[in-house]
Amino acid sequence: MTLRGLFLPGFACTSEIWRPVCDRLAPDCACDRVDWPVEATPDFHRVSDFADWLQRAHVLAAYDFIVGHSMGGLVALHAADALQPACRLILMESFVRPPAPFFRSLVLDANASPAVRALPGMLAHEAAHYSPRLRQALRDVDMTELVRQLRQPVSAIYGDRGSGQKDAVVAALGWPPDLLARVPVRIIPGACHFPMVEKPQAIADAVRSILG
């Protein structure tokens, strides 16, 4: 059976970040990639504003899984009430609590591939469409209670920042023990904040494994 998934980009990102992974998931998964409505995003000051738009623009109950990168994962959390209880949520480099300095690096090797080299230009271009108030809201985020209240199964994926140490990455998340028990965390070696671009095959394999 083909599973249907929705892939959400993060702050100042386009759906192109997901193309390498979606290409590798076919034909097992039918992947829909979202682009945020840049004509409206200057007036989106909260993550919940993106979630409201997402629920209007997509029939979320039709999806078997949702993968959200960074802010996109937080949007998925806010939209969870519109999802089927069995819909799997995969948080990709999403910070449900304020991120530690450990996570500041965007990529491990800026010259790794043309797709990686294109990231700074995309971020610089797209950032003009986003609210300064939203930037501050993302810095102060704490969605621990939202995760605790989820009906859906949720997993998380993070790059190891070259540390090679899962424990160091997990500790830097600053999650309380009950959150760590609730959300299985997978670590992708040799990647930072854009593992879907840096290590697309590893991410496709991880998504398949999570989906079972």
Side-chain angles (χ1 to χ4, degrees), residues 78-151:
H78 271 282
D81 285 347
L83 305 175
Q84 294 289 346
C87 180
R88 288 193 169 273
L89 293 181
I90 303 175
L91 308 178
M92 186 84 60
E93 284 284 319
S94 296
F95 302 108
V96 299
R97 304 186 75 182
F102 179 86
F103 293 108
R104 284 179 184 162
S105 51
L106 293 179
V107 295
L108 196 62
D109 181 358
N111 296 311
S113 70
V116 169
R117 292 195 295 272
L119 287 171
M122 176 196 68
L123 294 170
H125 180 269
E126 295 297 319
H129 301 298
Y130 289 77
S131 159
R133 287 165 54 188
L134 175 65
R135 292 172 184 261
Q136 189 58 49
L138 291 172
R139 293 189 188 102
D140 299 335
V141 69
D142 190 340
M143 297 191 180
T144 306
E145 287 304 319
L146 261 181
V147 177
R148 285 173 173 151
Q149 295 168 19
L150 280 179
R151 299 176 301 161

Side-chain angles (χ1 to χ4, degrees), residues 26-78:
D28 306 319
C29 299
C31 301
D32 294 341
R33 295 182 289 121
V34 168
D35 278 301
W36 302 123
V38 293
E39 70 282 357
T41 52
D43 296 319
F44 288 6
H45 305 305
R46 301 167 300 177
V47 173
S48 58
D49 295 331
F50 287 82
D52 291 344
W53 173 85
L54 186 68
Q55 291 181 71
R56 294 192 301 270
H58 295 268
V59 181
L60 297 184
Y63 291 97
D64 300 299
F65 67 98
I66 293 185
V67 188
H69 172 242
S70 195
M71 183 191 76
L74 306 183
V75 174
L77 294 177
H78 271 282

Side-chain angles (χ1 to χ4, degrees), residues 21 24-25 157 186 188 199-212:
V21 171
R24 286 167 171 80
L25 287 173
I157 299 174
R186 294 171 183 254
I188 304 300
K199 301 289 181 179
Q201 187 60 57
I203 294 301
D205 292 344
V207 169
R208 278 200 177 92
S209 177
I210 290 169
L211 297 177

